[in-house]
């Protein structure tokens, strides 16, 4: 029988870990006993990596415990893999417990450990925690690398902290770190969230291409479309879309810029935010040095100058979705609905909401209900508002009924996943409270003060996590109470709201029609 060394087994287990074959890695590990080879910390780490890479959480922990059984001491890589497993399983609190335990052994945490903890914090929407870890790393342990800086740029983008993001970018240059295309995409995304940094986003596009030689990809252009939507620059948005369409026409399925569902979603938001000027104007880009090709006239050169023309062009674009094999998503259809609402196409709004979602087999999410309820508020359509509200409640009930059984570990994972889903679909506690306030204000506009108060009261009773609404957010309701001289309801509204005496003292009577 051929002699196999410890190094041979370590390499074999490592190869299977890279190939994401945990079963084969386990078999190789178990063969060590047959060949009288004592396992090393490295061999155990490779087996942990095999399980961690395939999201086998329980097996990763069990493998870590083997170190003690084999009378081996875990090293920095052992702890790093365990933290990675906890973060991947959305058990961030446990990951930090392991992190603190590791530091007590006098081990210096590695940069990948910090990166995993920062990434997990951002995914859990714990931005302040991410900053705490980042600052701890660079003040006490390591100079941040490109990965860490890019993650913190994500943190800045989440909160629209563009100045902070640009300062981080300067710090990267100071540390002589080379930004990647991902770094630029994240930084452009941060600028795209702020209309006052609109030109800076396109300046970064120039820098990305000319100074560093990176070619913008689909993510870059999709991000720039969000900037155009916030700036109400439909002309530049159309030019960006032409560039993407032209590349698709040229390269077909090999195109790296082929428009996808996110492209059309962002583009429809551009049409939704655009305010027609009433006169013909030539399609021009933003006032910056970046010129985007418009050689192929896939859209008319003239920007639509009336609301009905804006909608007609958007409808034509919607009909092109099949050409690009674009999947109909809740976000895409909600953006399409929102553009009809903002462009005041009242008849089409009802048809899209009641028919098109069902026809295309797309489920409405909380964002859909919110936009439609805003439509009802402006139209004072009480009947439709009740229909939207009831469907919204059915949607929430279905989410709340999702089974949370299983082990404690499984329950924690499911709870974290549900929180992430709430953020993605727009039904966090804060967003539910805004919906209740919007429904109450909508009913108040139609003189239905009794049911408006009932909505607010029932929402507060439903969940202890709900905060009372602020009176400033309920002014349509409050003013309607004054208009209808319903002092009892006005007193009840003030009682259940978070009171703002200064705001209330300075408020003037305002007629609500």
């Amino acid at each position: 029988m051929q002699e196999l060394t410890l190094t041979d087994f370590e390499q074999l287990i490592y190869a299977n870990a890279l190939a994401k074959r945990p079963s084969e890695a386990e078999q190789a590990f178990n063969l060590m006993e047959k060949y009288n080879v004592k396992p090393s910390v490295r061999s155990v780490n490779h087996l942990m990596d095999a399980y961690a890479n395939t999201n086998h959480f329980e097996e990763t922990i069990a493998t870590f415990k083997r170190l003690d059984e084999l009378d081996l001491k875990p090293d920095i890589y052992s702890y790093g893999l365990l933290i990675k497993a906890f973060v991947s399983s959305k058990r961030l609190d446990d990951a930090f417990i392991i992190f603190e335990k590791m530091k007590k052994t006098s081990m210096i945490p590695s940069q990948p450990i910090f990166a995993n903890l920062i990434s997990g914090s951002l995914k859990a929407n714990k931005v302040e925690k991410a900053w705490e870890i980042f600052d701890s790393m660079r003040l006490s342990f390591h100079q941040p690398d490109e990965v860490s800086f890019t993650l913190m740029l994500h943190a800045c983008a989440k909160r629209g902290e563009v100045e902070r993001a640009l300062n981080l970018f300067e710090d990267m240059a100071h540390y002589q770190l080379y930004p990647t295309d991902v770094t630029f995409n994240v930084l452009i995304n941060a600028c795209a969230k702020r209309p006052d940094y609109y030109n800076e986003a396109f300046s970064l596009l120039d820098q990305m291409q000319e100074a560093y030689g990176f070619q913008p990809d689909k993510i870059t252009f999709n991000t720039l479309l969000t900037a155009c939507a916030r700036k109400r620059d439909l002309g530049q948005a159309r030019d960006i879309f032409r560039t993407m369409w032209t590349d698709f026409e040229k390269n077909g399925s090999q195109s790296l810029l082929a428009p996808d569902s996110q492209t059309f979603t962002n583009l429809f938001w551009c049409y939704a935010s655009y305010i027609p000027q009433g006169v013909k104007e030539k399609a021009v880009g933003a006032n910056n040095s970046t010129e985007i090709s418009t050689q192929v006239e896939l859209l008319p050169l003239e920007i639509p100058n009336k609301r009905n023309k804006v909608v007609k062009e958007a409808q034509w674009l919607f009909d092109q979705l099949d050409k690009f094999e674009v999947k109909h998503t809740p976000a895409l259809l909600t953006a399409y609905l929102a553009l009809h609402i903002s462009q005041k196409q009242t008849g089409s709004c009802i048809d899209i909401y009641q028919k098109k979602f069902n026809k295309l087999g797309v489920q409405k999410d909380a964002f859909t209900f919110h936009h439609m309820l805003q439509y009802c508020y402006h139209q004072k359509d009480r009947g439709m508002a009740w229909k939207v509200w009831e469907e919204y409640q059915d949607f929430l009930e279905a989410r709340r009924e999702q089974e949370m059984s299983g082990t404690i570990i499984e329950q924690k994972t499911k709870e974290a996943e549900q929180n992430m889903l709430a953020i993605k679909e727009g039904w966090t506690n804060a967003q539910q409270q805004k919906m209740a306030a919007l429904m109450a204000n909508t009913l108040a506009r139609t003189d239905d003060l009794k049911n408006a108060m009932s909505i607010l009261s029932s929402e507060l009773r439903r969940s202890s996590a709900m905060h009372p609404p602020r009176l400033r957010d309920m002014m349509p309701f409050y003013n309607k109470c004054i208009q209808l001289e319903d002092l009892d309801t006005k007193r009840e509204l003030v009682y259940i709201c978070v009171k703002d005496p200064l705001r209330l003292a300075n408020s003037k009577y305002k007629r609500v029609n």
Side-chain angles (χ1 to χ4, degrees):
M1 185 178 293
Q2 183 181 355
E3 289 295 327
L4 293 175
T5 66
L6 174 61
T7 302
D8 293 329
F9 280 107
E10 288 174 347
Q11 291 176 349
L12 181 57
I13 297 169
Y14 179 65
N16 282 294
L18 288 179
K20 296 185 177 182
R21 296 195 298 255
S23 297
E24 288 80 354
E26 179 73 40
Q27 290 174 11
F29 186 87
N30 292 334
L31 275 175
M32 296 175 76
E33 182 179 358
K34 181 178 178 180
Y35 283 83
N36 295 317
V37 175
K38 180 177 172 57
S40 62
V41 175
R42 179 177 293 180
S43 63
V44 177
N45 288 345
H46 289 333
L47 183 57
M48 284 182 66
D49 200 22
Y51 284 122
N53 287 340
T54 52
N55 296 319
H56 286 75
F57 176 69
E58 299 285 357
E59 290 82 354
T60 305
I61 294 178
T63 304
F64 180 82
K65 292 179 179 178
R66 289 190 189 183
L67 288 168
D68 188 52
E69 296 168 3
L70 294 167
D71 198 25
L72 298 171
K73 288 186 178 181
D75 60 12
I76 189 66
Y77 300 104
S78 310
Y79 282 111
L81 289 165
L82 190 59
I83 288 171
K84 174 184 174 182
F86 276 117
V87 170
S88 298
S89 299
K90 302 179 178 63
R91 291 180 57 184
L92 192 61
D93 292 341
D94 293 319
F96 278 107
I97 290 173
I98 299 299
F99 180 64
E100 294 301 324
K101 180 180 178 180
M102 179 196 65
K103 288 198 294 184
K104 288 178 181 178
T105 66
S106 299
M107 291 184 186
I108 298 176
S110 63
Q111 284 189 336
I113 289 177
F114 281 109
N116 269 317
L117 291 172
I118 291 170
S119 177
S121 297
L122 293 177
K123 288 177 181 177
N125 213 31
K126 296 182 178 181
V127 179
E128 290 302 329
K129 189 66 175 178
W131 277 110
E132 179 186 324
I133 295 298
F134 180 76
D135 290 337
S136 172
M137 175 178 66
R138 69 172 170 179
L139 293 175
S140 304
F141 296 99
H142 303 288
Q143 172 186 304
D145 59 5
E146 293 90 345
V147 174
S148 301
F149 270 111
T150 301
L151 286 170
M152 296 321 298
L153 288 174
H154 271 294
C156 295
K158 270 179 172 282
R159 293 189 170 183
E161 297 174 335
V162 184
E163 298 87 351
R164 199 173 190 179
L166 293 173
N167 288 338
L168 280 176
F169 190 59
E170 290 179 3
D171 288 344
M172 288 186 70
H174 175 74
Y175 288 126
Q176 296 183 333
L177 295 174
Y178 194 80
T180 66
D181 54 341
V182 176
T183 306
F184 276 105
N185 281 340
V186 174
L187 196 55
I188 290 171
N189 183 37
C191 293
K193 292 179 181 293
R194 290 265 298 274
D196 51 330
Y197 279 90
Y198 180 67
N199 289 338
E200 188 67 33
F202 286 90
S203 176
L204 286 165
L205 177 64
D206 278 339
Q207 190 176 346
M208 175 184 183
Q209 297 176 95
E210 297 173 9
Y212 291 91
F214 294 121
Q215 288 303 309
D217 56 15
K218 188 185 304 184
I219 295 174
T220 312
F221 285 127
N222 284 349
T223 303
L224 288 171
L225 284 174
T226 66
C228 293
R230 289 185 170 90
K231 193 67 174 179
R232 303 178 187 272
D233 190 348
L234 183 59
Q236 182 70 83
R238 293 162 93 245
D239 288 347
I240 291 171
F241 182 72
R242 281 194 187 95
T243 300
M244 299 179 76
W245 191 326
T246 301
D247 190 83
F248 172 75
E249 292 284 347
K250 179 180 178 180
N251 299 309
S253 60
Q254 302 301 313
S255 171
L256 298 178
L257 299 179
D260 59 10
S261 62
Q262 192 62 56
T263 306
F264 281 96
T265 298
N266 295 350
L267 185 62
F268 288 146
W269 281 116
C270 295
Y271 282 88
S273 66
Y274 178 64
I275 302 175
Q277 302 302 310
V279 294
K280 292 183 178 180
E281 54 177 306
K282 292 294 181 180
V284 294
N287 295 324
N288 54 67
S289 59
T290 300
E291 292 295 334
I292 297 179
S293 172
T294 59
Q295 292 180 354
V296 180
E297 297 182 18
L298 302 170
L299 289 171
L301 286 178
E302 293 180 351
I303 300 174
N305 63 335
K306 294 182 179 179
R307 291 188 183 278
N308 66 323
K309 291 183 178 180
V310 172
V311 172
K312 184 177 180 182
E313 185 170 289
Q315 290 172 340
W316 178 81
L317 285 168
F318 190 87
D319 292 338
Q320 308 307 308
L321 295 179
D322 289 342
K323 175 185 179 71
F324 297 98
E325 299 181 357
V326 169
K327 180 181 179 181
H328 297 94
T329 65
L332 191 154
L333 259 66
T334 298
Y336 188 63
L337 170 65
L339 84 85
H340 283 80
I341 293 173
S342 66
Q343 300 299 342
K344 304 185 186 307
Q345 306 297 305
T346 55
S348 299
C349 297
I350 301 293
D351 185 69
I352 293 170
Y353 179 81
Q354 292 188 326
K355 297 179 181 178
K356 193 168 285 291
F357 276 85
N358 291 336
K359 181 180 178 181
L360 296 173
V362 177
Q363 185 182 41
K364 304 179 182 79
D365 63 17
F367 293 113
T368 312
F369 298 122
H370 182 262
H371 285 289
M372 197 61 195
L373 195 55
Q374 282 186 320
Y375 164 85
C376 296
Y377 171 84
H378 291 295
Q379 296 296 319
K380 293 196 287 189
D381 189 338
R382 180 167 60 181
M384 192 64 196
W386 276 116
K387 177 178 175 60
V388 173
W389 181 255
E390 288 169 1
E391 291 185 1
Y392 174 63
Q393 293 304 311
D394 290 341
F395 168 84
L396 291 178
E397 192 63 31
R399 293 297 182 269
R400 294 179 191 129
E401 287 178 352
Q402 290 181 353
E403 188 177 359
M404 298 292 287
S405 61
T407 65
I408 295 177
I409 292 175
E410 291 172 340
Q411 288 180 27
K412 281 187 176 182
T413 301
K414 289 178 181 178
E415 183 180 355
E417 289 173 347
Q418 191 172 43
N419 290 336
M420 294 288 290
L421 185 63
I423 294 171
K424 179 183 177 181
E425 294 183 338
W427 50 277
T428 63
N429 283 330
Q431 289 165 318
Q432 290 182 51
Q433 180 175 317
K434 288 181 180 179
M435 277 290 285
L438 178 58
M439 181 61 180
N441 284 329
T442 301
L443 294 175
R445 290 200 74 200
T446 64
D447 299 341
D448 190 355
L449 300 184
K450 179 181 178 182
N451 281 316
M453 182 56 65
S454 177
I455 290 288
L456 284 182
S457 300
S458 62
E459 281 300 297
L460 286 174
R461 288 194 302 268
R462 181 185 62 78
S463 173
S464 58
M466 290 287 186
H467 297 290
R470 297 180 303 178
L471 189 58
R472 71 182 72 179
D473 296 329
M474 303 308 304
M475 292 311 290
F477 190 176
Y478 180 82
N479 290 329
K480 181 61 77 169
C481 291
I482 296 174
Q483 182 183 332
L484 298 180
E485 300 180 353
D486 190 339
L487 300 182
D488 290 338
T489 303
K490 188 186 83 167
R491 279 192 294 269
E492 188 177 355
L493 175 62
V494 172
Y495 178 76
I496 69 170
C497 284
V498 174
K499 303 170 189 61
D500 187 344
L502 283 176
R503 183 63 176 261
L504 183 58
N506 294 330
S507 65
K508 297 180 179 179
Y509 172 78
K510 179 181 177 182
R511 182 177 180 85
V512 181
N513 294 318

